[in-house]
Amino acid sequence: MNRAKGYTSHLKIAVLSLADINNYGDMFFPYIFRLELQSRLPTAKIDLYTNMQYHCDIYDTAEYSRNRLLDYNAVILAGGDTVQRLDEENWKDIYPSDIGKKRPSDIIFDWLDLDKPYKAYFSVGVHPQMQEYRQDVLSAISRLDYLAVRGVLSKKILEGAIISNNNKIRIVPDLGWLFNRYIDVLEKETEGFCVPSKPYMVFEIFYEFDEEVLRFAARTLQQFQSETGVEVMLLPIVHTKSRKQLSTWNDYYPLSRIAEYTDNALTLMPDQLSAAEVGILLKNAKFYLGSSMHGARTRADCFINHWGRLPEFLRKLDKEAEEKNEKKYSIMYADYMRYRLSTELDELCRQICEKQRIGFYE
């Protein structure tokens, strides 16, 4: 990891995110990103902004407004499936109606034409429907000093065609690959919170309201728990509160239905655990299986798209959790992803310093 050389205490950086939707992964992104920047730019002032003023157990943010960014040397949108203009479709039912004339997506696009020395998107996802907003996309590409997306699909959406290639758009891993590093620290600092003493797996699901599917999942999970002795923990990860009971933002509802179908034989966790507590439960689980990539700790190729495969997939993950070779592969893969993130964070900070004529070295 590289660090800034020289006087950087005058350097002010604004980090923007959608952490205020209160989703586990989105909550962690700015926390991790600020610490990673601070380790490279130790005397810089780094402030966090969200659409609404926000408090969680590991940090506070200020309310975003364009005018508040005027005095910063760098503005960075960091992490999450953020690049979208779907205010009505995605965010209307989770942000309060009194948010004013602002649109939630302003925090993504509204500041791009500011005369800032440095502007960046880092490790962002791009929603497929952004194809409908090509002008916003083209504007983002042309006005950013640094643009890194978290996957090939996001890059292709920005480019607008499968065969085109824009060298300015970098691909970096999701910031979630750094979660465990910081959960280790939080676990030592969190008192009075204990994980189960026996082996357990974490199961999570959202965007599923078919009662027959939920009954099938309940039977399968209960049978797995009975046969293996591995406790099944139903852990809500999408903590966003929607005004709709049946919402894509609500994973507590389908998990609670699964618990009911087993007469509570499975462990249903509360839906408002702290970010640290959710992270600790995920870190110490034998394995995780769920819809939210924020909880993923399994291999990159472990995906299914049919409920009928749930029984075999549970057995596969349980077996892989026991095999040393699989663990070795997973560790190597995670180490590589963290290395890629580290090198890109170095490059991001080097560019910020270069704009300010500050040295950056190993």
Side-chain angles (χ1 to χ4, degrees), residues 170-184:
R170 310 165 80 100
I171 297 179
V172 304
D174 191 291
L175 284 167
W177 285 102
L178 299 176
F179 281 7
N180 274 9
R181 178 184 298 172
Y182 291 94
I183 291 169
D184 286 342

Side-chain angles (χ1 to χ4, degrees), residues 102-236:
K102 294 188 303 182
R103 293 178 295 179
S105 61
D106 286 346
I107 201 170
I108 303 163
F109 297 104
D110 183 50
W111 49 276
L112 290 177
D113 62 349
L114 289 176
D115 185 22
K116 292 284 96 183
Y118 196 81
K119 298 190 286 287
Y121 286 176
F122 189 92
S123 187
V124 295
V126 185
H127 198 285
Q129 287 183 250
M130 279 309 297
Q131 291 285 12
E132 301 174 16
Y133 302 91
R134 293 303 303 158
Q135 195 55 49
D136 286 333
V137 170
L138 295 174
S139 174
I141 294 174
S142 64
R143 295 175 180 178
L144 290 165
D145 297 283
Y146 176 100
L147 173 55
V149 297
R150 63 185 185 183
V152 174
L153 178 59
S154 290
K155 186 174 190 292
K156 290 304 167 189
I157 293 170
L158 285 183
E159 290 169 342
I162 297 296
I163 60 173
S164 65
N165 179 46
N166 187 321
N167 290 328
K168 183 176 180 179
I169 305 172
R170 310 165 80 100
I171 297 179
V172 304
D174 191 291
L175 284 167
W177 285 102
L178 299 176
F179 281 7
N180 274 9
R181 178 184 298 172
Y182 291 94
I183 291 169
D184 286 342
V185 177
L186 292 171
E187 188 170 18
K188 295 175 182 177
E189 298 174 351
T190 304
E191 297 180 359
F193 183 76
C194 299
V195 299
S197 57
K198 61 183 294 187
Y200 68 96
M201 63 155 289
V202 167
F203 183 82
E204 183 270 347
I205 181 178
F206 66 92
Y207 211 172
E208 184 57 71
F209 311 115
D210 187 313
E211 294 296 330
E212 286 303 313
V213 168
L214 298 177
R215 284 192 186 94
F216 174 77
R219 289 195 304 270
T220 302
L221 291 167
Q222 187 171 10
Q223 183 176 0
F224 171 81
Q225 178 174 271
S226 176
E227 291 177 354
T228 64
V230 176
E231 181 180 343
V232 176
M233 178 183 292
L234 307 173
L235 179 64

